[in-house]
């Protein structure tokens, strides 16, 4: 039996004027990881926050900081994100010509290494770096913004990536348009971790966030017959 589906709330959908409190609230609400969406206004058309802000909220939770870099180039900034307290650092395969080098650099910093693929990127780009990976993050929206519609064709890619991974200890994480409605097909296809922004930061405070997180996790776990 697989472990329960991990839920990684994306703080992109939180109230930035109270970011530290929001992180603490989703921690208390049962978040497994805290998903941090870093953008550069170049690789994607948005610029929410960077390493100093991540560093400032690091002491508000002991949960895993799951850092999703939507920046190009990424390599010059990897050390800054490691220093800021990110536990997992994920780069986009499309963001640079030397994915293997980026993944080596992340592990050399003592962090877990992830690769993210846009919805249109075929999964074979990770074939020769599988042994350098701790995480594959499949986008189910085009990166840049929260609250977008889920792209269902990626569900098939989840299955294929799962098959490529085989028995390697690599988690498959899904990002974009995750709700209690879309979670079951993702879990059934093999997703281990679900990122959710707008579906978690809805309503006010810990109790609402807890209900939102549990609705997604329960929907996912029921779909694969896990005890919930
Ligand atoms: C999009 C980000 C996502 C985003 C998800 O570029 O990578 O993490 O916050 O937001 P929702 O869950 O609202 O689609
Ligand atoms: Zn993300």
């Amino acid at each position: 039996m697989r472990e329960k589906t991990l839920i990684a709330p994306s703080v992109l959908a939180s109230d930035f004027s109270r970011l530290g409190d929001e992180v603490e609230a989703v921690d208390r609400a049962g978040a497994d990881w805290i998903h941090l969406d870093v953008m550069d206004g170049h690789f994607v058309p948005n610029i929410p926050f960077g390493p100093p802000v991540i560093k400032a909220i690091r002491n508000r939770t002991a949960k895993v900081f799951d850092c999703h870099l939507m920046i190009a180039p990424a390599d010059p900034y990897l050390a800054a994100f490691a220093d800021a307290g990110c536990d997992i650092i994920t780069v986009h395969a499309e963001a640079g010509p030397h994915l293997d080098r980026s993944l080596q650099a992340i592990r050399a910093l003592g962090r877990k290494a992830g690769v993210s693929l846009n919805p249109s990127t075929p999964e074979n780009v990770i074939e020769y770096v599988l042994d350098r990976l701790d995480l594959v993050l499949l986008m189910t929206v085009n990166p840049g913004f929260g609250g977008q519609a889920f792209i269902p064709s990626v569900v098939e890619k989840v299955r294929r990536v799962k098959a490529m991974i085989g028995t390697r200890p690599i988690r498959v994480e899904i990002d974009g348009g995750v709700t209690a409605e879309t979670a079951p097909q993702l879990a059934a296809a093999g997703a281990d971790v679900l990122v959710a922004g707008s579906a978690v930061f809805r309503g006010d405070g810990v109790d609402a966030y807890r209900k939102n997180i549990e609705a997604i996790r329960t929907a996912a776990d029921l779909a694969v017959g896990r005890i919930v």
Side-chain angles (χ1 to χ4, degrees), residues 10 35 37 68 70 137 139 175 195:
S10 165
H35 187 80
D37 287 306
H68 176 193
M70 288 160 273
L137 174 57
M139 296 305 300
D175 190 1
V195 175

Side-chain angles (χ1 to χ4, degrees), residues 201-213:
F201 288 96
R202 178 180 293 162
D204 203 17
V206 180
D207 291 344
Y209 299 166
R210 181 178 293 114
K211 269 175 63 186
N212 299 339
I213 289 170

Side-chain angles (χ1 to χ4, degrees), residues 171-213:
R171 294 196 204 254
V172 175
E173 182 177 34
I174 308 299
D175 190 1
V178 172
T179 64
E181 286 69 46
T182 55
Q185 56 188 307
L186 294 165
D192 305 296
V193 188
L194 299 177
V195 175
S198 42
V200 168
F201 288 96
R202 178 180 293 162
D204 203 17
V206 180
D207 291 344
Y209 299 166
R210 181 178 293 114
K211 269 175 63 186
N212 299 339
I213 289 170

Side-chain angles (χ1 to χ4, degrees), residues 20-76:
D21 296 342
E22 291 276 72
V23 167
E24 225 172 273
V26 277
D27 175 334
R28 288 172 51 210
D32 296 293
W33 295 356
I34 307 296
H35 187 80
L36 301 160
D37 287 306
V38 176
M39 309 181 187
D40 64 354
H42 164 72
F43 180 66
V44 292
N46 198 1
I47 314 182
F49 54 79
V53 172
I54 294 173
K55 196 172 209 158
I57 56 174
R58 182 60 277 194
N59 67 358
R60 303 296 294 266
T61 177
K63 300 265 164 87
V64 165
F65 267 15
D66 172 35
C67 182
H68 176 193
L69 295 183
M70 288 160 273
I71 64 174
D75 292 7

Side-chain angles (χ1 to χ4, degrees), residues 155-170:
V155 175
E156 183 53 31
K157 184 155 58 169
V158 179
R159 283 203 187 86
R160 292 185 191 205
V161 165
K162 230 15 212 188
M164 285 172 75
I165 287 172
T167 56
R168 294 176 181 85
I170 302 173

Side-chain angles (χ1 to χ4, degrees), residues 86-169:
C86 298
D87 302 290
I88 304 169
I89 301 178
T90 295
V91 293
H92 264 263
E94 308 86 356
H98 304 296
L99 177 59
D100 185 277
R101 177 183 291 150
S102 302
L103 297 172
Q104 286 196 52
I106 295 167
R107 282 196 170 167
L109 289 163
R111 300 302 187 266
K112 291 205 163 29
V115 63
S116 184
L117 305 183
N118 286 332
S120 65
T121 301
E123 64 280 1
N124 62 8
V125 299
I126 64 171
E127 190 173 347
Y128 296 102
V129 294
L130 284 169
D131 292 323
R132 300 207 188 283
L133 286 175
D134 300 295
L135 178 84
V136 178
L137 174 57
L138 297 177
M139 296 305 300
T140 34
V141 297
N142 290 295
F145 303 95
Q148 301 183 82
F150 179 79
I151 299 174
S153 61
V154 182
V155 175
E156 183 53 31
K157 184 155 58 169
V158 179
R159 283 203 187 86
R160 292 185 191 205
V161 165
K162 230 15 212 188
M164 285 172 75
I165 287 172
T167 56
R168 294 176 181 85

